[in-house]
Amino acid sequence: MSAFRVEVRVMPRAALLDPQGQAVEHALHALGFAEVGHVRMGKHLVLEVTAPSRDEALARARAMCDRLLANPVIEDYDLAVDGEVPGGTAR
Amino acid sequence: MSAFRVEVRVMPRAALLDPQGQAVEHALHALGFAEVGHVRMGKHLVLEVTAPSRDEALARARAMCDRLLANPVIEDYDLAVDGEVPGGTAR
């Protein structure tokens, strides 16, 4: 069993309005950053998952996204295993 | 001038408590995901930045992080230019 660091990116679906992203975009324009547009804002999570293999860690992280971390009606998620945690002892 | 898609990851600094991450970790344990630990939670932003070059887009995005997107007292950020937006016309 090793501990793997999994990076999870949860973003609002492309077809949906993103009021948080719009608020950030307006604030950036108000600060003089006229060159920015199409701001989208979501969540980023870093998890340590203890599993026998990289693929198994990814599968468990995907299950966590489906159960809790992302709302499939309004959000999409991406997962990537970022590497093994040296001496990792996640529960 | 082209539009570049810039990915921004803003995470709580490693030395600080992350109450949001802890709440997610407890919720995952309550759902039976005992193999997860050290959950950290931050923000992920995607920006389209119009600039003459990739490097210039990155520099402007860094300025946006310093001014608005990240709080340097409690957060760290990473930036990456994810590519040119085809036919991009960010303001």
Side-chain angles (χ1 to χ4, degrees), chain A residues 7 9-11 21 23-25 27-29 31-51 60 63-65 67-69 82 89-91, chain B residues 7 9-11 21 23-25 27-29 31-51 60 63-65 67-69 82 89-91:
Chain A
E7 304 265 340
R9 189 179 71 150
V10 182
M11 296 297 290
V24 169
E25 185 171 326
L28 286 171
H29 289 168
L31 285 172
F33 294 104
E35 69 274 44
V36 71
H38 298 108
V39 177
R40 312 282 294 171
M41 185 160 173
K43 294 176 284 189
H44 195 99
L45 291 114
V46 182
L47 318 169
E48 275 182 33
V49 180
T50 303
R60 293 303 286 165
M64 293 176 208
C65 287
R67 287 289 305 277
L68 181 75
L69 305 178
D82 191 39
T89 54
R91 273 142 289 174
Chain B
E7 304 265 339
R9 188 180 71 150
V10 181
M11 296 297 289
V24 169
E25 186 171 325
L28 286 170
H29 289 169
L31 285 171
F33 294 105
E35 71 273 45
V36 71
H38 299 107
V39 177
R40 312 280 296 170
M41 185 160 173
K43 293 176 284 190
H44 195 101
L45 291 113
V46 182
L47 318 170
E48 274 182 35
V49 180
T50 303
R60 294 300 287 164
M64 293 175 209
C65 286
R67 288 289 305 279
L68 180 75
L69 304 179
D82 191 40
T89 55
R91 271 141 289 173

